[in-house]
Amino acid sequence: QKSASNTGAQGPPGTRSPHHLAAAPHLVSTPRSPSPSSPILPGPTILTSRSTPPTPPRSSFHGVVTAAALMDPKSPDDRPEAAAPQPLEWRFAQVFGERGAGEDVQEVDIISAIEFDKSGDHLATGDRGGRVVLFERTDARGNASRTELERQDYSVPRHPEFRYKTEFQSHEPEFDYLKSLEIEEKINKIKWGQTANNALFILSTNDKTIKYWKVQDKKVKRISVMNLDTSQSADNGTTSSSSTSSSRGLPNGGSSEKSYNCANNDLPFPPGGYASLRLPVVVTGQELNPVARCRRVYAHAHDYHINSISNNSDGETFISADDLRINLWNLEINSQSFNIVDVKPANMEDLTEVITCAEFHPTHCNTLAYSSSKGAIRLIDLRQSALCDNHSKLFEEHEAPGSKSFFTEIIASVSDIKFARDGRHILSRDYMTLKLWDLNMDSGPVATFQVHEHLRPKLCDLYENDSIFDKFECCLSGDGHRLATGSYSNLFRVFGCTSGNTEATTLEASRNPMRRQVANPTRPTRTLTSLTRAVRRGGENAGADGNGNSNDFSTKLLHLAWHPTENSIACAAGNSLYMYYA
């Protein structure tokens, strides 16, 4: 017991956060030594510091160290801390649809949704014109030959490279005649389904209708073995053995003295006709062409605009959320859905809160979270009841007394939430900040990151031009060590969220992402258990104002996505898709 406390352990190993262990690589596990009067039995592990390794005494039992040898005279406060991780150096990778100098951007070309699939080999974007554009990775190691892979004794650092794959028109503009309401074709959200039989499955939605798409490579079919001239037949990839001319009379009435031409001058008959007629044959070539086909249409289930969709980890169901309701769908059934959350009051005049985003837990098919316009995040369990109006957990940060203003509730509205890949944490974005929440601690956020604190004095101007209602998205890295979100002037910010990591980088969506970067001092952190809590970083960095540049509220970076396995970010600036790597 004493040896565990002297080596700096703050409690039982099971209570320590995995993020703390990941952020402290100097801690290693060592078996507990047996008592001299007890048999040697396996027991729980304890933590020792690699920076001050004790000298183990000699023992006939290999791998076992006596308890006296683990006694460290240094207290935990006297030990050297682990070196803080260095900020990533971001580099430009690719751009698609880059706007030229003086070129106007069409409204229908502005990107409105971005999503990587789980493997990271495909990327989908949706725009305001209702189109979905797919990109596929070209530098994947799986494409290399076995010989090339065997020659590589070490991993070669390469950034992800994507190429255009295909695009299709997902939604068309519609008109609701009952409500006299025009329904835009704009793609609000895109979600990837599970891949099957080398086919890609995508859910896309506009304000009212969700569609389930299947994209699969089909071999191109061509017509060949026709009664054509050899040169004509060769163009189709085949040569007909019957495409020969004859000077004598033919059974089909041909004559060497006459020439019969078809209506199309490109396909002339040979002199004397054909010796025999051949029916055209459809030949499947080796060329592949991606084809998109709509499998299901999920419509007429939402009275208000759909703001989010999310696939379940069971691979069979998904949810769709609007301002007041969340519906549960089966992918194979589009005729009905189940309403699982309904916040609509009996009297609409009593409405004070609306749903802004909803997402399934990445591994628990019975758990989902949804955010509200009051800054709250509710966790619900589908096993509790059919109608989940009562949440199982509520994550909410209360404002300090006397700090409330006219804009408090507006800027507190959560515009996006994302589960970490391990399912332990939730990242939320409101207008001014990013907040990281631990599912096991609902008393407050684990960490808070200021995105553009320099805009707080300008909230009145932002309210006048409606910019205060912009919905910024957020994303986490696959390892959960960093997070990112967008801002104005086509800027986006990357923060480190592990213990001791003070990274707060400002990048610009351009070919030179680091040109807006300025020095960013950070305030001392306050810790709660093993995780950093209430760390307000980034407020000192004024973003564009740090270099004396004015903010451009017309250019905003609302949508971005982090590659699931690598440090690569795709973000949308107008109609351009920029990709960066570190």
Side-chain angles (χ1 to χ4, degrees):
Q1 298 291 339
K2 291 182 180 179
S3 63
S5 61
N6 288 337
T7 54
Q10 298 178 0
T15 62
R16 299 173 69 84
S17 168
H19 286 274
H20 175 76
L21 299 180
H26 67 288
L27 297 180
V28 295
S29 60
T30 307
R32 174 181 290 181
S33 61
S35 173
S37 59
S38 63
I40 299 174
L41 297 174
T45 59
I46 58 178
L47 299 175
T48 63
S49 175
R50 186 178 294 168
S51 58
T52 56
T55 303
R58 291 193 164 190
S59 174
S60 59
F61 187 82
H62 298 287
V64 177
V65 182
T66 61
L70 295 177
M71 298 294 289
D72 193 344
K74 293 185 179 181
S75 65
D77 297 334
D78 297 334
R79 297 239 178 92
E81 296 183 358
Q86 293 296 322
L88 296 178
E89 182 179 354
W90 292 92
R91 299 180 178 89
F92 169 79
Q94 287 177 282
V95 60
F96 296 94
E98 186 176 25
R99 180 178 59 174
E103 182 182 354
D104 294 332
V105 177
Q106 300 294 326
E107 181 77 12
V108 295
D109 295 332
I110 296 178
I111 298 175
S112 58
I114 299 179
E115 188 78 11
F116 279 104
D117 68 347
K118 287 185 178 181
S119 66
D121 292 338
H122 295 89
L123 174 67
T125 65
D127 60 26
R128 296 188 181 181
R131 293 164 297 190
V132 173
V133 183
L134 304 184
F135 301 88
E136 63 180 355
R137 187 168 178 174
T138 60
D139 68 313
R141 290 176 60 89
N143 296 333
S145 64
R146 182 175 180 179
T147 304
E148 294 175 351
L149 294 177
E150 291 176 348
R151 290 176 181 175
Q152 296 178 2
D153 296 333
Y154 58 92
S155 60
V156 179
R158 295 190 303 178
H159 66 84
E161 294 181 0
F162 287 81
R163 68 181 178 189
Y164 169 85
K165 181 179 178 69
T166 187
E167 67 178 89
F168 55 90
Q169 188 71 31
S170 176
H171 289 74
E172 300 281 355
E174 301 175 16
F175 190 82
D176 189 340
Y177 292 96
L178 294 178
K179 298 182 179 180
S180 297
L181 180 66
E182 184 178 355
I183 303 174
E184 294 182 348
E185 66 270 30
K186 171 191 170 185
I187 304 296
N188 291 340
K189 291 290 181 180
I190 294 177
K191 293 294 180 182
W192 289 89
Q194 294 184 353
T195 303
N197 299 327
N198 294 325
L200 305 175
F201 293 90
I202 300 172
L203 277 173
S204 62
T205 182
N206 63 353
D207 288 338
K208 295 292 184 180
T209 306
I210 308 167
K211 294 186 179 182
Y212 189 44
W213 293 89
K214 177 182 179 181
V215 181
Q216 192 171 22
D217 290 335
K218 299 287 188 180
K219 292 185 177 181
V220 179
K221 295 181 178 180
R222 299 181 182 276
I223 300 176
S224 61
V225 193
M226 298 176 62
N227 291 101
L228 302 178
D229 185 72
T230 304
S231 60
Q232 299 280 354
S233 300
D235 294 337
N236 287 336
T238 60
T239 302
S240 174
S241 60
S242 62
S243 300
T244 57
S245 60
S246 175
S247 58
R248 58 183 177 83
L250 300 176
N252 62 354
S255 172
S256 59
E257 300 175 356
K258 296 182 180 180
S259 178
Y260 297 92
N261 293 330
C262 62
N264 187 354
N265 293 329
D266 295 336
L267 304 174
F269 281 96
Y274 289 106
S276 62
L277 289 179
R278 288 220 176 177
L279 293 176
V281 177
V282 178
V283 176
T284 302
Q286 298 301 318
E287 181 183 353
L288 297 177
N289 185 30
V291 177
R293 184 169 63 92
C294 185
R295 293 283 306 274
R296 302 278 191 278
V297 177
Y298 313 91
H300 312 300
H302 289 276
D303 293 330
Y304 305 93
H305 290 177
I306 300 173
N307 53 50
S308 57
I309 54 176
S310 178
N311 282 316
N312 198 348
S313 59
D314 62 8
E316 297 179 357
T317 57
F318 71 94
I319 57 171
S320 59
D322 62 21
D323 293 338
L324 299 179
R325 292 186 177 93
I326 300 178
N327 293 335
L328 178 66
W329 300 83
N330 188 298
L331 285 171
E332 301 299 326
I333 303 173
N334 61 351
S335 58
Q336 65 177 355
S337 64
F338 298 94
N339 177 230
I340 56 176
V341 175
D342 190 351
V343 300
K344 183 178 180 180
N347 186 0
M348 285 297 289
E349 294 181 357
D350 299 331
L351 181 65
T352 59
E353 192 176 19
V354 297
I355 300 171
T356 56
C357 187
E359 181 163 326
F360 261 117
H361 192 280
T363 56
H364 299 166
C365 61
N366 58 281
T367 304
L368 63 92
Y370 70 92
S371 58
S372 73
S373 58
K374 283 192 172 182
I377 301 175
R378 291 173 173 84
L379 198 69
I380 63 176
D381 192 339
L382 298 178
R383 298 172 298 183
Q384 290 182 347
S385 62
L387 188 61
C388 303
D389 288 339
N390 297 323
H391 53 267
S392 58
K393 278 193 176 183
L394 174 64
F395 303 94
E396 189 174 19
E397 185 179 30
H398 299 282
E399 288 290 332
S403 62
K404 191 172 184 179
S405 67
F406 174 78
F407 304 107
T408 300
E409 188 170 324
I410 299 177
I411 64 176
S413 177
V414 177
S415 58
D416 190 25
I417 60 173
K418 290 287 193 308
F419 273 99
R421 197 172 186 181
D422 59 2
R424 172 71 181 271
H425 296 85
I426 296 179
L427 178 66
S428 66
R429 170 69 202 265
D430 56 41
Y431 187 71
M432 299 296 294
T433 64
L434 276 171
K435 292 184 176 70
L436 188 65
W437 306 82
D438 190 332
L439 294 187
N440 296 337
M441 186 179 71
D442 54 3
S443 59
V446 170
T448 301
F449 307 89
Q450 304 290 349
V451 179
H452 39 217
E453 186 65 18
H454 61 278
L455 296 181
R456 193 172 292 274
K458 303 178 181 179
L459 290 180
C460 187
D461 296 335
L462 295 168
Y463 179 78
E464 291 293 332
N465 59 20
D466 289 339
S467 295
I468 199 172
F469 301 106
D470 289 334
K471 307 299 182 184
F472 291 94
E473 294 181 1
C474 58
C475 59
L476 293 99
S477 60
D479 56 12
H481 293 173
R482 291 174 176 84
L483 42 91
T485 190
S487 182
Y488 293 102
S489 302
N490 281 343
L491 300 177
F492 65 99
R493 307 207 64 191
V494 178
F495 299 95
C497 57
T498 54
S499 179
N501 191 344
T502 59
E503 179 179 354
T505 307
T506 302
L507 305 168
E508 183 185 29
S510 65
R511 289 182 176 268
N512 184 12
M514 304 294 288
R515 74 185 185 99
R516 298 273 188 126
Q517 182 64 23
V518 294
N520 181 54
T522 56
R523 301 173 185 171
T525 63
R526 293 180 294 141
T527 60
L528 176 68
T529 64
S530 61
L531 284 175
T532 304
R533 181 184 175 186
V535 185
R536 297 185 175 270
R537 295 205 298 271
E540 300 81 356
N541 184 356
D545 287 349
N547 291 334
N549 301 322
S550 60
N551 291 279
D552 185 2
F553 300 121
S554 62
T555 56
K556 58 195 76 172
L557 201 151
L558 301 177
H559 313 285
L560 75 172
W562 202 301
H563 192 279
T565 59
E566 301 179 15
N567 286 325
S568 176
I569 295 178
C571 56
N575 66 327
S576 303
L577 176 65
Y578 287 91
M579 304 191 70
Y580 304 94
Y581 73 100

